[in-house]
């Protein structure tokens, strides 16, 4: 994404630091994170399925595959094991009498990381903001996972994905908030693809 100043903005995910070149695709990945429970490994697998054959807009996508995660885990375990062995071999013998046992202080778990900002980019909380003025948010269940639907201001068209609602909002603005014309244009764009709208055919008759 390019800002008004002409600088390139990138979006970095909270846990695995996945770098997205495009805010729209970062939004799609965030929706998968929320749906799966912020598990970025599973969310990434779903994202790769949905973008098969097209650009993922990620820098670079190969390093986030399941095999890479496993390799990193094995490497980390190997390093921990080698450090433990080294400490064991260099440990001094304990005193024969009255050994002092020291308890390790409890460490607080680190706070859950949030989306990072690369230079000149906007707050990622905008992902949860309405697509535009007059839009309504609707909490629903998709399978067993909570999800958000977005309802348009005039014709109450219910979108299952915020990114698609944003696309429709752009068309509304193009046609002066005329949702009939915006819907006709949206249908042309989405021919052969999922509209991500609940019962889309009911809006074709008008």
């Amino acid at each position: 994404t390019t800002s008004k100043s002409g600088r390139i903005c990138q979006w970095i995910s909270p846990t695995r630091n996945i770098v997205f070149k495009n805010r729209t695709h970062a939004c799609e990945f965030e929706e998968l994170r929320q749906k799966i429970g912020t598990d970025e490994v599973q969310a990434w697998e779903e994202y790769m399925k949905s973008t098969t054959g097209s650009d993922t807009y990620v820098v670079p996508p190969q390093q986030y595959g399941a095999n890479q995660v496993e390799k990193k885990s094995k490497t980390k375990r190997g390093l921990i094991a080698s450090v433990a062995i080294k400490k064991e071999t260099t440990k001094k013998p304990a005193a024969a009498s009255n050994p002092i046992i020291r308890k390790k202080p409890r460490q607080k778990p680190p706070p859950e990381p949030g989306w990072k900002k690369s230079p000149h980019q906007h707050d990622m909380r905008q992902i949860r903001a309405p697509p535009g003025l007059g839009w309504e948010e609707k909490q629903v269940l998709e399978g067993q996972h909570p999800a958000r639907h977005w309802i348009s201001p005039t014709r109450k068209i219910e979108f299952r994905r915020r990114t698609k609602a944003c696309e429709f909002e752009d068309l509304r603005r193009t046609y002066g908030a005329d949702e009939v014309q915006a819907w006709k244009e949206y249908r042309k764009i989405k021919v052969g693809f999922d509209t991500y709208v609940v019962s889309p055919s009911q809006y074709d008759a008008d």
Side-chain angles (χ1 to χ4, degrees), residues 5-6 31 33 39 51 54 57 60 71 101 103 114 124 166 205:
S5 61
E31 288 175 357
R33 286 182 73 251
D39 184 340
T51 55
S54 59
Y57 290 91
K71 285 179 182 178
I101 301 174
K103 293 183 178 179
M124 283 301 290
C166 289

Side-chain angles (χ1 to χ4, degrees), residues 57-72:
Y57 290 91
V58 169
V59 186
Q62 295 83 2
Q63 64 176 310
Y64 305 109
N67 292 335
Q68 295 298 326
V69 174
E70 182 64 23
K71 285 179 182 178
K72 289 179 181 178

Side-chain angles (χ1 to χ4, degrees), residues 31 73 99 120 155 164 206:
E31 288 175 357
S73 299
H120 315 295
R155 302 184 68 198
K164 307 308 175 184
D206 296 341

Side-chain angles (χ1 to χ4, degrees), residues 92-113:
K92 294 180 179 179
S97 60
N98 299 328
I100 299 173
I101 301 174
R102 296 179 180 177
K103 293 183 178 179
K104 293 183 179 180
R106 290 185 179 180
Q107 294 182 351
K108 294 182 179 180
E112 184 178 353

Side-chain angles (χ1 to χ4, degrees), residues 1-12 19-24 26 57 59 116-124:
T1 305
T2 305
S3 64
K4 292 180 180 180
S5 61
R7 294 170 178 169
I8 296 174
C9 298
Q10 294 179 335
W11 303 91
I12 305 172
V19 181
F20 286 84
K21 298 181 288 182
N22 182 293
R23 182 179 181 275
T24 300
Y57 290 91
V59 186
K116 298 177 183 178
K117 291 182 179 180
S118 64
H120 315 295
Q121 69 184 46
H122 301 291
D123 196 331
M124 283 301 290

